[in-house]
């Protein structure tokens, strides 16, 4: 159940028996042949699936993230890190004011991760606030699925190529990852990665993606149960 399916009275009634909420953090950035909103759509779908299992509601998705390295790919929109931190804080404070105390951030974009430190500061300040941060592609469960199939995860490659984020046909090949290290600006990043895929297969069998998806949803459900506190 999403906020978009509820009115304020529905939320008030929900808070009488549960103070948990999921907040999806995404991005609008290049993902090779996949949707520019891949980092939003994937965690959003995972949160929806977890909501069906647990009854925990899902706040509106934050569709913009921190992506300065992709700005030379048209369509990419990047928030400054300070803007992201302030956006996260304002979201937490608003939800806290309503009565939510246990917040799970379902994150779809690595560039957002530095903002998670602000959650610790807010937990120190706001009495009773408990928060958790879940970046699905980095979880042990998802990594185990990849290893089981002899796969490695790369940006915009097979691990993110769920049917619901495909907007065109995908190349049937394996891309060799560039042998580079360091921090690069937008121009250098585009020069290095070309089509935007960082390496590996562009796609894999749907059954593997199903395993990845279910592993992440199971993780989210476990975190929601663990964070079910008064």
């Amino acid at each position: 159940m999403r906020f978009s399916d509820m009115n304020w009275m529905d939320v008030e009634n929900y808070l009488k028996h549960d103070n948990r909420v999921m907040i999806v953090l995404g991005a609008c950035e290049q993902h090779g042949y996949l949707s520019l909103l891949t980092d939003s759509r994937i965690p959003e779908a995972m949160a929806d699936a977890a909501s069906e299992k647990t009854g925990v509601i899902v706040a509106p998705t934050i569709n913009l993230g921190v992506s300065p390295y992709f700005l030379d790919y048209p369509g990419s929109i990047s928030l400054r890190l300070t803007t992201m931190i302030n956006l996260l804080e304002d979201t937490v404070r608003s939800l806290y004011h309503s009565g939510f105390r246990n917040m799970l951030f379902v994150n779809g974009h690595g560039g957002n991760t530095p903002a998670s430190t602000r959650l610790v500061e807010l937990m120190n300040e706001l009495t009773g606030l408990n928060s958790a941060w879940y970046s699905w592609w980095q979880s042990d469960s998802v990594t185990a699925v990849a290893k089981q199939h002899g796969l490695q995860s790369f940006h915009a490659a097979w691990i993110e190529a769920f049917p619901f984020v495909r907007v065109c046909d995908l190349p049937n090949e394996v891309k060799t990852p560039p042998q580079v290290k360091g921090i690069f600006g937008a121009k250098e990043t585009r020069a290095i990665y070309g089509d935007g895929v960082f390496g590996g297969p562009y796609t894999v069998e749907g059954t593997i993606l199903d395993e990845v998806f279910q592993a992440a949803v199971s993780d989210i459900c476990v975190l929601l149960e663990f964070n079910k506190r008064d």
Side-chain angles (χ1 to χ4, degrees):
M1 179 71 74
R2 299 185 187 182
F3 272 35
S4 58
D5 300 317
M6 309 170 76
N7 59 37
W8 72 266
M9 292 165 280
D10 294 327
V11 176
E12 186 172 68
N13 288 330
Y14 170 88
L15 284 164
K16 291 176 181 178
H17 62 83
D18 204 331
N19 62 18
R20 295 174 295 170
V21 63
M22 286 181 274
I23 304 101
V24 175
L25 301 178
C28 179
E29 63 172 27
Q30 76 82 13
H31 269 77
Y33 301 88
L34 306 176
S35 167
L36 285 159
L37 286 175
T38 291
D39 282 349
S40 296
R41 289 185 177 180
I42 294 175
E44 191 174 67
M46 292 170 174
D48 284 342
S51 178
E52 289 184 10
K53 292 177 178 292
T54 65
V56 177
I57 58 177
V58 184
T61 299
I62 296 176
N63 284 312
L64 300 181
V66 182
S67 310
Y69 32 78
F70 288 145
L71 284 176
D72 267 31
Y73 290 91
S76 298
I77 301 173
S78 181
L79 300 180
R80 288 172 292 174
L81 180 57
T82 51
T83 302
M84 186 67 197
I85 291 172
N86 289 335
L87 178 57
L88 184 147
E89 176 174 349
D90 289 348
T91 299
V92 169
R93 288 187 181 277
S94 296
L95 292 170
Y96 182 89
H97 185 83
S98 293
F100 293 98
R101 292 296 180 268
N102 297 295
M103 305 181 191
L104 173 58
F105 288 83
V106 184
N107 179 45
H109 174 53
N112 296 337
T113 303
S116 63
T117 302
R118 184 66 182 121
L119 292 175
V120 180
E121 297 172 337
L122 289 168
M123 288 170 65
N124 289 339
E125 176 186 341
L126 301 175
T127 302
L129 174 64
N130 178 58
S131 64
W133 185 278
Y134 180 71
S135 295
W136 67 270
W137 72 98
Q138 293 179 324
S139 79
D140 291 340
S141 300
V142 169
T143 300
V145 172
K147 288 183 177 179
Q148 179 183 347
H149 294 282
L151 294 165
Q152 189 175 352
S153 300
F154 293 97
H155 172 79
W158 71 271
I159 188 122
E160 296 186 283
F162 293 96
F164 55 85
V165 296
R166 297 183 187 182
V167 294
C168 66
D169 293 334
L170 304 181
N172 185 24
E173 59 186 81
V174 177
K175 183 177 182 179
T176 301
Q179 298 300 308
V180 293
K181 293 182 180 180
I183 299 174
F184 304 101
K187 286 185 176 14
E188 293 83 3
T189 298
R190 178 159 178 175
I192 291 168
Y193 293 106
D195 65 3
V197 179
F198 280 22
Y202 285 79
T203 185
V204 293
E205 294 180 9
T207 54
I208 298 176
L209 290 174
D210 289 342
E211 289 180 41
V212 168
F213 189 88
Q214 292 306 322
V217 172
S218 295
D219 285 345
I220 293 169
C221 290
V222 169
L223 286 169
L224 288 172
E225 185 60 30
F226 178 76
N227 289 331
K228 189 175 183 179
R229 306 178 187 178
D230 294 333

